[in-house]
Amino acid sequence: MSFKQALYAATAMTLVTASGALAENLVIATVNNGDMIRMQGLTQDFTDKTGHTVEWVTLEENVLRQRVTTDIAAKGGSFDIMTIGMYETPIWGANGWLVSLDDLSADYDADDILPAMRAGLSHDGTLYAAPFYGESSMIMYRTDLMEKAGLEMPEAPTWQFIREAAAAMTDRDNDINGICLRGKAGWGEGGAFITVTGNSFGARWFDEDWNAQFDQPEWKEALTFFVDMMQESGPNGYATNGFNENLNLFQQGKCGMWIDATVAASFVTNPDDSTVADKVGFALAPNSEGVDRKANWLWAWALAVPAGTQKEAAAKEFIEWATSKDYIELVAENEGWANVPPGARTSLYENPNYQAVPFAQKTLDSILAADPTNPTVKPVPYVGVQFVAIPEFAGIATEVSQEFSAVYAGQQTVDEALAKAQALTNDAMEAAGYR
């Protein structure tokens, strides 16, 4: 064998991965949440095991949704793996836009995925995305400020108690807001939060004939309550605050309470990042007095393979690595059990190490309390808690959320926003053939 032949042979050998395939460079689109950023820091473990390398495209939540939706609909092929959620997955799976994940290895143990997460990431029984983490929403609050206010947080409080507590904890002179909530436009940002708030006041997006319901008294009560409470006790500029902005405020000690994704619990209790890490308590999301629905959602940030990728095998290897039991152990070893990705696997909640984490059980209780098939008090023709599982929803709800954010910013009244939401929603549903 000549030197050149030997060099070629050696080079070829270095390109063979553990699965026998050539090493690939995977382009992954993901959201700029803490758990996803942590995953990026651990991907050398994946490369060492498989030979595949990873190129990350990390985007703010609204931008991510826009980029991946545009790319997959146009068959752009920009990404080998996409971070998507429970809204997109069944719709895109039905369209043939995603690769089935039903053939993941036996060692992966797909049956260990929490039933609520698996169901939400499937279409006709086929799994199209694997949950990196699952979440609901719950209350995170400052125990020291609650005590100072002379109040005690119930395990399952009402909105009326939350408003009273927020006012009592607000201290404008010391830059402490009694409550921090999402107001940022976007169907998955402020739109998601105001939808579950509406649910908890007895509101719904549509009646059984797909007529918009923003002209009903439940929506006016919910939106008015939200605006009044945030004006009394929320931060300035809350109209542009989403998950990350409120996380930053809470970690800096500027929020008495924050109602948001359960996944945030590990960030607000991490002493490396949070100035109030040792002063945080947890409670179930609130309901309005007399309404049998809580303001909690059900969601998973999940990894999916777009149909048509030339790197399907390597992409599935990455998904198996990133959403596996072994990955959970890897994070626990490097970051501690409180920082493992929550809400995806049954075995995690059976693990004594994780059961000792103070927010573990409250997270699971919140996830189990959300029912996508029965999200509202009055009957509805749709599935979904903080979203309506139809293709048109993302566009409609983004517009509605923009109208609501204009109220939060003082640019229009509650009545004006609800009237616009009613009209634009009905127009869109009629154009789409629902009415």
Side-chain angles (χ1 to χ4, degrees), residues 180-213:
C180 295
L181 299 173
R182 300 187 192 191
K184 190 174 188 176
W187 72 261
E189 275 279 10
F193 191 86
I194 199 62
T195 293
V196 296
T197 301
N199 294 345
S200 69
F201 277 81
R204 55 184 175 167
W205 266 81
F206 301 102
D207 68 12
E208 292 179 285
D209 295 318
W210 294 104
N211 298 303
Q213 296 294 287

mmCIF file of all heavy atoms in Angstrom, residues 180-213:
data_model
loop_
_atom_site.group_PDB
_atom_site.id
_atom_site.type_symbol
_atom_site.label_atom_id
_atom_site.label_comp_id
_atom_site.label_asym_id
_atom_site.label_seq_id
_atom_site.Cartn_x
_atom_site.Cartn_y
_atom_site.Cartn_z
ATOM 1 N N CYS A 180 -44.594 39.360 38.592
ATOM 2 C CA CYS A 180 -44.032 39.500 37.250
ATOM 3 C C CYS A 180 -44.687 38.447 36.360
ATOM 4 O O CYS A 180 -44.626 37.250 36.674
ATOM 5 C CB CYS A 180 -42.520 39.291 37.261
ATOM 6 S SG CYS A 180 -41.615 40.549 38.199
ATOM 7 N N LEU A 181 -45.314 38.902 35.276
ATOM 8 C CA LEU A 181 -46.011 37.995 34.361
ATOM 9 C C LEU A 181 -45.726 38.390 32.923
ATOM 10 O O LEU A 181 -45.371 39.528 32.635
ATOM 11 C CB LEU A 181 -47.526 38.033 34.613
ATOM 12 C CG LEU A 181 -48.007 37.612 36.007
ATOM 13 C CD1 LEU A 181 -49.501 37.860 36.149
ATOM 14 C CD2 LEU A 181 -47.667 36.157 36.288
ATOM 15 N N ARG A 182 -45.917 37.459 32.017
ATOM 16 C CA ARG A 182 -45.653 37.722 30.602
ATOM 17 C C ARG A 182 -46.682 38.673 29.988
ATOM 18 O O ARG A 182 -47.890 38.486 30.138
ATOM 19 C CB ARG A 182 -45.723 36.421 29.795
ATOM 20 C CG ARG A 182 -44.754 35.336 30.185
ATOM 21 C CD ARG A 182 -44.831 34.197 29.175
ATOM 22 N NE ARG A 182 -44.138 33.005 29.651
ATOM 23 C CZ ARG A 182 -43.870 31.950 28.891
ATOM 24 N NH1 ARG A 182 -44.239 31.948 27.624
ATOM 25 N NH2 ARG A 182 -43.238 30.896 29.385
ATOM 26 N N GLY A 183 -46.162 39.666 29.269
ATOM 27 C CA GLY A 183 -47.029 40.524 28.470
ATOM 28 C C GLY A 183 -46.565 40.604 27.031
ATOM 29 O O GLY A 183 -47.219 41.219 26.191
ATOM 30 N N LYS A 184 -45.451 39.971 26.730
ATOM 31 C CA LYS A 184 -44.817 40.049 25.419
ATOM 32 C C LYS A 184 -45.702 39.423 24.345
ATOM 33 O O LYS A 184 -46.232 38.325 24.524
ATOM 34 C CB LYS A 184 -43.475 39.316 25.483
ATOM 35 C CG LYS A 184 -42.572 39.490 24.287
ATOM 36 C CD LYS A 184 -41.246 38.811 24.587
ATOM 37 C CE LYS A 184 -40.201 39.108 23.528
ATOM 38 N NZ LYS A 184 -38.886 38.510 23.893
ATOM 39 N N ALA A 185 -45.841 40.115 23.211
ATOM 40 C CA ALA A 185 -46.640 39.588 22.116
ATOM 41 C C ALA A 185 -46.023 38.307 21.565
ATOM 42 O O ALA A 185 -44.809 38.109 21.606
ATOM 43 C CB ALA A 185 -46.768 40.632 21.015
ATOM 44 N N GLY A 186 -46.871 37.456 21.012
ATOM 45 C CA GLY A 186 -46.453 36.154 20.493
ATOM 46 C C GLY A 186 -47.381 35.084 21.041
ATOM 47 O O GLY A 186 -47.691 35.083 22.233
ATOM 48 N N TRP A 187 -47.835 34.181 20.183
ATOM 49 C CA TRP A 187 -48.839 33.214 20.648
ATOM 50 C C TRP A 187 -48.282 32.314 21.749
ATOM 51 O O TRP A 187 -49.028 31.887 22.642
ATOM 52 C CB TRP A 187 -49.370 32.375 19.485
ATOM 53 C CG TRP A 187 -48.410 31.343 18.930
ATOM 54 C CD1 TRP A 187 -47.623 31.474 17.817
ATOM 55 C CD2 TRP A 187 -48.169 30.028 19.437
ATOM 56 N NE1 TRP A 187 -46.889 30.324 17.613
ATOM 57 C CE2 TRP A 187 -47.207 29.412 18.582
ATOM 58 C CE3 TRP A 187 -48.655 29.298 20.522
ATOM 59 C CZ2 TRP A 187 -46.728 28.118 18.788
ATOM 60 C CZ3 TRP A 187 -48.177 28.006 20.726
ATOM 61 C CH2 TRP A 187 -47.239 27.427 19.870
ATOM 62 N N GLY A 188 -46.964 32.039 21.733
ATOM 63 C CA GLY A 188 -46.371 31.179 22.751
ATOM 64 C C GLY A 188 -45.750 31.938 23.897
ATOM 65 O O GLY A 188 -45.262 31.330 24.849
ATOM 66 N N GLU A 189 -45.762 33.248 23.837
ATOM 67 C CA GLU A 189 -45.224 34.077 24.921
ATOM 68 C C GLU A 189 -46.391 34.609 25.757
ATOM 69 O O GLU A 189 -47.021 33.862 26.492
ATOM 70 C CB GLU A 189 -44.370 35.206 24.335
ATOM 71 C CG GLU A 189 -42.919 34.792 24.062
ATOM 72 C CD GLU A 189 -42.039 34.814 25.314
ATOM 73 O OE1 GLU A 189 -42.567 34.961 26.433
ATOM 74 O OE2 GLU A 189 -40.809 34.705 25.159
ATOM 75 N N GLY A 190 -46.677 35.899 25.637
ATOM 76 C CA GLY A 190 -47.801 36.449 26.383
ATOM 77 C C GLY A 190 -49.132 35.854 25.979
ATOM 78 O O GLY A 190 -50.056 35.767 26.789
ATOM 79 N N GLY A 191 -49.224 35.411 24.718
ATOM 80 C CA GLY A 191 -50.460 34.790 24.263
ATOM 81 C C GLY A 191 -50.785 33.528 25.025
ATOM 82 O O GLY A 191 -51.953 33.268 25.367
ATOM 83 N N ALA A 192 -49.774 32.724 25.297
ATOM 84 C CA ALA A 192 -49.982 31.489 26.056
ATOM 85 C C ALA A 192 -50.450 31.810 27.468
ATOM 86 O O ALA A 192 -51.374 31.169 27.990
ATOM 87 C CB ALA A 192 -48.696 30.669 26.093
ATOM 88 N N PHE A 193 -49.819 32.801 28.078
ATOM 89 C CA PHE A 193 -50.167 33.103 29.466
ATOM 90 C C PHE A 193 -51.578 33.655 29.593
ATOM 91 O O PHE A 193 -52.339 33.241 30.481
ATOM 92 C CB PHE A 193 -49.162 34.074 30.091
ATOM 93 C CG PHE A 193 -49.360 34.168 31.578
ATOM 94 C CD1 PHE A 193 -48.743 33.268 32.417
ATOM 95 C CD2 PHE A 193 -50.215 35.108 32.123
ATOM 96 C CE1 PHE A 193 -48.975 33.296 33.787
ATOM 97 C CE2 PHE A 193 -50.448 35.158 33.485
ATOM 98 C CZ PHE A 193 -49.826 34.243 34.321
ATOM 99 N N ILE A 194 -51.962 34.572 28.720
ATOM 100 C CA ILE A 194 -53.295 35.146 28.865
ATOM 101 C C ILE A 194 -54.366 34.117 28.484
ATOM 102 O O ILE A 194 -55.502 34.176 28.982
ATOM 103 C CB ILE A 194 -53.453 36.448 28.054
ATOM 104 C CG1 ILE A 194 -54.643 37.274 28.564
ATOM 105 C CG2 ILE A 194 -53.561 36.163 26.565
ATOM 106 C CD1 ILE A 194 -54.541 37.740 29.992
ATOM 107 N N THR A 195 -54.027 33.146 27.650
ATOM 108 C CA THR A 195 -54.991 32.093 27.320
ATOM 109 C C THR A 195 -55.296 31.224 28.535
ATOM 110 O O THR A 195 -56.460 30.948 28.835
ATOM 111 C CB THR A 195 -54.479 31.230 26.158
ATOM 112 O OG1 THR A 195 -54.447 32.014 24.963
ATOM 113 C CG2 THR A 195 -55.387 30.024 25.919
ATOM 114 N N VAL A 196 -54.259 30.796 29.265
ATOM 115 C CA VAL A 196 -54.538 29.977 30.449
ATOM 116 C C VAL A 196 -55.177 30.808 31.557
ATOM 117 O O VAL A 196 -55.980 30.295 32.348
ATOM 118 C CB VAL A 196 -53.282 29.239 30.966
ATOM 119 C CG1 VAL A 196 -52.795 28.239 29.934
ATOM 120 C CG2 VAL A 196 -52.166 30.202 31.366
ATOM 121 N N THR A 197 -54.839 32.098 31.610
ATOM 122 C CA THR A 197 -55.536 32.983 32.553
ATOM 123 C C THR A 197 -57.012 33.049 32.201
ATOM 124 O O THR A 197 -57.885 32.956 33.074
ATOM 125 C CB THR A 197 -54.907 34.386 32.541
ATOM 126 O OG1 THR A 197 -53.528 34.298 32.897
ATOM 127 C CG2 THR A 197 -55.612 35.312 33.518
ATOM 128 N N GLY A 198 -57.300 33.191 30.909
ATOM 129 C CA GLY A 198 -58.685 33.179 30.474
ATOM 130 C C GLY A 198 -59.392 31.880 30.842
ATOM 131 O O GLY A 198 -60.534 31.899 31.337
ATOM 132 N N ASN A 199 -58.735 30.747 30.624
ATOM 133 C CA ASN A 199 -59.320 29.459 31.008
ATOM 134 C C ASN A 199 -59.735 29.468 32.481
ATOM 135 O O ASN A 199 -60.786 28.945 32.855
ATOM 136 C CB ASN A 199 -58.322 28.324 30.794
ATOM 137 C CG ASN A 199 -57.979 28.081 29.338
ATOM 138 O OD1 ASN A 199 -58.652 28.555 28.432
ATOM 139 N ND2 ASN A 199 -56.916 27.328 29.111
ATOM 140 N N SER A 200 -58.857 30.043 33.313
ATOM 141 C CA SER A 200 -59.083 30.010 34.760
ATOM 142 C C SER A 200 -60.165 30.981 35.213
ATOM 143 O O SER A 200 -60.569 30.965 36.386
ATOM 144 C CB SER A 200 -57.773 30.304 35.513
ATOM 145 O OG SER A 200 -57.364 31.650 35.340
ATOM 146 N N PHE A 201 -60.648 31.834 34.300
ATOM 147 C CA PHE A 201 -61.794 32.701 34.578
ATOM 148 C C PHE A 201 -63.061 32.203 33.868
ATOM 149 O O PHE A 201 -64.083 32.883 33.889
ATOM 150 C CB PHE A 201 -61.496 34.139 34.137
ATOM 151 C CG PHE A 201 -60.719 34.939 35.163
ATOM 152 C CD1 PHE A 201 -59.351 34.803 35.263
ATOM 153 C CD2 PHE A 201 -61.364 35.814 36.018
ATOM 154 C CE1 PHE A 201 -58.623 35.532 36.204
ATOM 155 C CE2 PHE A 201 -60.660 36.556 36.958
ATOM 156 C CZ PHE A 201 -59.276 36.402 37.060
ATOM 157 N N GLY A 202 -62.967 31.037 33.244
ATOM 158 C CA GLY A 202 -64.122 30.471 32.548
ATOM 159 C C GLY A 202 -64.227 30.858 31.088
ATOM 160 O O GLY A 202 -65.246 30.561 30.440
ATOM 161 N N ALA A 203 -63.207 31.506 30.531
ATOM 162 C CA ALA A 203 -63.241 31.928 29.130
ATOM 163 C C ALA A 203 -62.787 30.786 28.214
ATOM 164 O O ALA A 203 -62.239 29.780 28.663
ATOM 165 C CB ALA A 203 -62.352 33.159 28.934
ATOM 166 N N ARG A 204 -63.009 30.968 26.926
ATOM 167 C CA ARG A 204 -62.560 30.010 25.909
ATOM 168 C C ARG A 204 -62.331 30.763 24.608
ATOM 169 O O ARG A 204 -62.885 31.851 24.400
ATOM 170 C CB ARG A 204 -63.589 28.892 25.720
ATOM 171 C CG ARG A 204 -64.990 29.398 25.399
ATOM 172 C CD ARG A 204 -66.033 28.290 25.310
ATOM 173 N NE ARG A 204 -67.364 28.883 25.118
ATOM 174 C CZ ARG A 204 -68.446 28.192 24.759
ATOM 175 N NH1 ARG A 204 -68.367 26.887 24.571
ATOM 176 N NH2 ARG A 204 -69.603 28.804 24.605
ATOM 177 N N TRP A 205 -61.539 30.196 23.724
ATOM 178 C CA TRP A 205 -61.276 30.838 22.438
ATOM 179 C C TRP A 205 -62.493 30.746 21.516
ATOM 180 O O TRP A 205 -62.837 31.710 20.840
ATOM 181 C CB TRP A 205 -60.060 30.188 21.759
ATOM 182 C CG TRP A 205 -58.783 30.891 22.048
ATOM 183 C CD1 TRP A 205 -58.005 30.774 23.161
ATOM 184 C CD2 TRP A 205 -58.120 31.836 21.203
ATOM 185 N NE1 TRP A 205 -56.900 31.589 23.066
ATOM 186 C CE2 TRP A 205 -56.937 32.246 21.870
ATOM 187 C CE3 TRP A 205 -58.393 32.382 19.952
ATOM 188 C CZ2 TRP A 205 -56.045 33.170 21.333
ATOM 189 C CZ3 TRP A 205 -57.502 33.296 19.409
ATOM 190 C CH2 TRP A 205 -56.351 33.692 20.105
ATOM 191 N N PHE A 206 -63.101 29.563 21.456
ATOM 192 C CA PHE A 206 -64.195 29.325 20.513
ATOM 193 C C PHE A 206 -65.320 28.556 21.198
ATOM 194 O O PHE A 206 -65.080 27.776 22.123
ATOM 195 C CB PHE A 206 -63.717 28.492 19.312
ATOM 196 C CG PHE A 206 -62.603 29.113 18.528
ATOM 197 C CD1 PHE A 206 -61.298 28.676 18.692
ATOM 198 C CD2 PHE A 206 -62.862 30.121 17.612
ATOM 199 C CE1 PHE A 206 -60.265 29.239 17.958
ATOM 200 C CE2 PHE A 206 -61.833 30.692 16.870
ATOM 201 C CZ PHE A 206 -60.518 30.256 17.051
ATOM 202 N N ASP A 207 -66.556 28.771 20.687
ATOM 203 C CA ASP A 207 -67.629 27.885 21.099
ATOM 204 C C ASP A 207 -67.606 26.652 20.199
ATOM 205 O O ASP A 207 -66.709 26.484 19.361
ATOM 206 C CB ASP A 207 -68.983 28.610 21.076
ATOM 207 C CG ASP A 207 -69.458 28.975 19.670
ATOM 208 O OD1 ASP A 207 -68.882 28.500 18.661
ATOM 209 O OD2 ASP A 207 -70.429 29.752 19.569
ATOM 210 N N GLU A 208 -68.579 25.781 20.352
ATOM 211 C CA GLU A 208 -68.548 24.511 19.625
ATOM 212 C C GLU A 208 -68.742 24.661 18.119
ATOM 213 O O GLU A 208 -68.495 23.718 17.356
ATOM 214 C CB GLU A 208 -69.595 23.561 20.206
ATOM 215 C CG GLU A 208 -69.243 23.107 21.616
ATOM 216 C CD GLU A 208 -70.288 22.188 22.211
ATOM 217 O OE1 GLU A 208 -71.355 22.706 22.602
ATOM 218 O OE2 GLU A 208 -70.032 20.965 22.274
ATOM 219 N N ASP A 209 -69.164 25.832 17.666
ATOM 220 C CA ASP A 209 -69.325 26.091 16.232
ATOM 221 C C ASP A 209 -68.200 26.959 15.677
ATOM 222 O O ASP A 209 -68.344 27.546 14.612
ATOM 223 C CB ASP A 209 -70.680 26.752 15.970
ATOM 224 C CG ASP A 209 -71.841 25.839 16.317
ATOM 225 O OD1 ASP A 209 -71.758 24.634 15.999
ATOM 226 O OD2 ASP A 209 -72.805 26.324 16.934
ATOM 227 N N TRP A 210 -67.105 27.070 16.417
ATOM 228 C CA TRP A 210 -65.923 27.842 16.009
ATOM 229 C C TRP A 210 -66.188 29.333 15.899
ATOM 230 O O TRP A 210 -65.545 30.045 15.120
ATOM 231 C CB TRP A 210 -65.349 27.316 14.686
ATOM 232 C CG TRP A 210 -64.786 25.935 14.805
ATOM 233 C CD1 TRP A 210 -65.350 24.780 14.361
ATOM 234 C CD2 TRP A 210 -63.540 25.558 15.395
ATOM 235 N NE1 TRP A 210 -64.538 23.704 14.648
ATOM 236 C CE2 TRP A 210 -63.419 24.146 15.289
ATOM 237 C CE3 TRP A 210 -62.503 26.275 16.032
ATOM 238 C CZ2 TRP A 210 -62.320 23.447 15.778
ATOM 239 C CZ3 TRP A 210 -61.411 25.579 16.515
ATOM 240 C CH2 TRP A 210 -61.325 24.170 16.378
ATOM 241 N N ASN A 211 -67.124 29.824 16.692
ATOM 242 C CA ASN A 211 -67.317 31.266 16.805
ATOM 243 C C ASN A 211 -66.399 31.812 17.893
ATOM 244 O O ASN A 211 -66.342 31.255 19.002
ATOM 245 C CB ASN A 211 -68.762 31.591 17.167
ATOM 246 C CG ASN A 211 -69.739 31.136 16.104
ATOM 247 O OD1 ASN A 211 -69.613 31.539 14.939
ATOM 248 N ND2 ASN A 211 -70.699 30.310 16.477
ATOM 249 N N ALA A 212 -65.679 32.893 17.613
ATOM 250 C CA ALA A 212 -64.804 33.511 18.607
ATOM 251 C C ALA A 212 -65.608 33.965 19.812
ATOM 252 O O ALA A 212 -66.779 34.364 19.690
ATOM 253 C CB ALA A 212 -64.063 34.692 17.990
ATOM 254 N N GLN A 213 -64.990 33.946 20.982
ATOM 255 C CA GLN A 213 -65.686 34.221 22.230
ATOM 256 C C GLN A 213 -65.132 35.433 22.989
ATOM 257 O O GLN A 213 -65.392 35.598 24.175
ATOM 258 C CB GLN A 213 -65.617 32.990 23.138
ATOM 259 C CG GLN A 213 -66.318 31.780 22.573
ATOM 260 C CD GLN A 213 -67.823 31.980 22.477
ATOM 261 O OE1 GLN A 213 -68.519 31.968 23.492
ATOM 262 N NE2 GLN A 213 -68.331 32.191 21.259
#
